[in-house]
Amino acid sequence: MNETIREDALSTLDQVIAILRVKEEKDIQELKELSNHTIHNASVFQDDCSVSVAVVVYALSKIIERSPEKLNYNKFLKILEKARKSVANNEDYNFSLSIKALFFEISRIDNRLKGYMQEVINEAQVKKGCKLCEHGLSTARASQIMGVSQWELMKYLGNTNLNEHSAGIDVKTRVKFARGLFS
């Protein structure tokens, strides 16, 4: 596993474990924010570990939001701690087993796990498509490459400001470049 991915997975699992250890009303909001972070990582790294962690965090936030009484916190904490230990020790196979156990428990509580997985993957594709647009591709081409509709991509782009995400080129440099092309 890539070291950056491993460190990010450890950090995310640590945060999820800390959130679940103490039941508070802010748990749902914290998990949703963490879910957004993990979805971003899944779109950047596009690896099984990042996507799996993103799905688990998103699904947990949905379960706690919709039916918190069904969630056995201790059972999830044990599995999450086992997953964290596996990542820390570079035990990919054991991490995979822990993720499967988490998916099993989530699907036992809420049969919409497949929908959660698809939603996380779709959001990651849209965010990655936005990055492609940021690098100069048209929305049509970016949506085609990422396998999402132009409408989904444009909706996301409409809610973001590309200048916030990239340094951009100032107007004087652009004019100088344009004049250089025509002289």
Side-chain angles (χ1 to χ4, degrees), residues 122-138:
N122 189 51
E123 282 188 46
Q125 289 171 314
V126 169
K127 287 183 179 187
K128 195 68 166 181
C130 181
K131 290 287 185 196
L132 293 174
C133 290
E134 197 174 315
H135 291 286
L137 268 66
S138 69

Side-chain angles (χ1 to χ4, degrees), residues 23-36:
K23 291 182 188 179
E24 297 175 308
E25 265 197 44
K26 64 180 183 174
D27 289 354
I28 296 169
Q29 187 58 37
E30 288 177 341
L31 284 172
K32 283 184 178 183
E33 289 171 12
L34 190 55
S35 172
N36 288 337

Side-chain angles (χ1 to χ4, degrees), residues 52 83 86 91-103:
S52 297
S86 298
E91 300 169 346
D92 294 343
Y93 179 74
N94 290 334
F95 173 74
S96 178
L97 290 177
S98 296
I99 290 296
K100 285 179 184 177
L102 286 166
F103 284 165

Side-chain angles (χ1 to χ4, degrees), residues 62-77:
K62 289 297 186 184
I63 289 170
I64 292 173
E65 183 178 48
R66 293 179 181 154
S67 47
E69 70 284 349
K70 292 182 179 179
L71 184 68
N72 182 337
Y73 279 76
N74 290 330
K75 184 179 260 184
F76 273 89
L77 279 169

Side-chain angles (χ1 to χ4, degrees), residues 11-71:
S11 171
T12 302
L13 290 169
D14 285 340
Q15 291 175 60
V16 172
I17 291 167
I19 291 168
L20 293 183
R21 276 207 176 112
V22 181
K23 291 182 188 179
E24 297 175 308
E25 265 197 44
K26 64 180 183 174
D27 289 354
I28 296 169
Q29 187 58 37
E30 288 177 341
L31 284 172
K32 283 184 178 183
E33 289 171 12
L34 190 55
S35 172
N36 288 337
H37 169 76
T38 59
I39 288 170
H40 173 75
N41 287 347
S43 70
V44 171
F45 299 123
Q46 296 181 1
D47 66 292
D48 291 343
C49 178
S50 298
V51 171
S52 297
V53 171
V55 171
V56 166
V57 173
Y58 182 77
L60 282 172
S61 73
K62 289 297 186 184
I63 289 170
I64 292 173
E65 183 178 48
R66 293 179 181 154
S67 47
E69 70 284 349
K70 292 182 179 179
L71 184 68

